[in-house]
Amino acid sequence: MVKDDENWLLPQRKPITRDVLDRAIGAEAEAASQEHQAQDAWFDGQHGTVMLKLTDGRVFGAEPGFIPSLRGASPNQLSGLRASDDGVYLVIESLDLHVNVDGLVTRIMEASPLAIKRSGARFAGLTTSPAKAIASARNGRLGGRPRSKPKTTAKHG
C-alpha cells in the first residue's frame, strides 16, 4: 500500500496476461538451469560421508559435520538421505529436513583448497588394491617403515 496526503491507496497493478506469465516462467526456468541440481544423493556409511551426484555428472562428498543441519544426525538417520524429485534439495524424511543443493555445493566448492586436498587424500588412503597389499607386505618384510630419527637440539657455544 502507498500513502498519499491522508489515505492509504493500493498501487495500480498491471493485468497478468499470458505473455507476462510466459516471461516469468521462462525467467524461472533460466534461473533454475543455472543452479546445481542433484540427480542422486546417499550416505556412504563405510566412509561416513554424504555423497551427492549432480545432474551435470559431478560427484561431491562431505562429512556430515561439514553440513550444520546434519551435525547431530545418526548414521541410521543419514541412511534415509535422498535427493528430492526436482533435485533442488537433499531430503531426510525422518528429520523433516531439506538441505538446498545449490547452497551446499557452493559451500563445498568455496571450502579451502587445503581442506579439499586433505579429504581427497583421506579417501585415496582408504582405497585398497592388490598392488597396495603387495607393497604393504613387501614393506613389512623389510622391517616396516623406517624409524624417524630423534631431533637433536643445536648447541650454542
Side-chain angles (χ1 to χ4, degrees), residues 63-122:
E63 294 177 359
F66 184 77
I67 306 166
S69 53
L70 297 182
R71 285 192 182 131
S74 70
N76 189 39
Q77 291 169 320
L78 291 170
S79 68
L81 178 75
R82 66 174 181 82
S84 63
D85 293 338
D86 59 4
V88 175
Y89 297 101
L90 297 184
V91 178
I92 300 179
E93 298 291 342
S94 65
L95 297 175
D96 191 26
L97 182 69
H98 294 76
V99 177
N100 182 278
V101 170
D102 190 53
L104 176 59
V105 171
T106 300
R107 182 178 173 151
I108 290 171
M109 291 192 321
E110 288 177 349
S112 82
L114 180 59
I116 294 171
K117 185 177 179 180
R118 283 182 183 158
S119 65
R122 185 175 74 83

Side-chain angles (χ1 to χ4, degrees), residues 13-33:
R13 297 182 188 248
K14 295 180 181 178
I16 299 175
T17 64
R18 185 69 180 155
D19 182 51
V20 169
L21 283 175
D22 289 343
R23 282 197 321 257
I25 291 169
E28 180 63 27
E30 175 64 26
S33 72

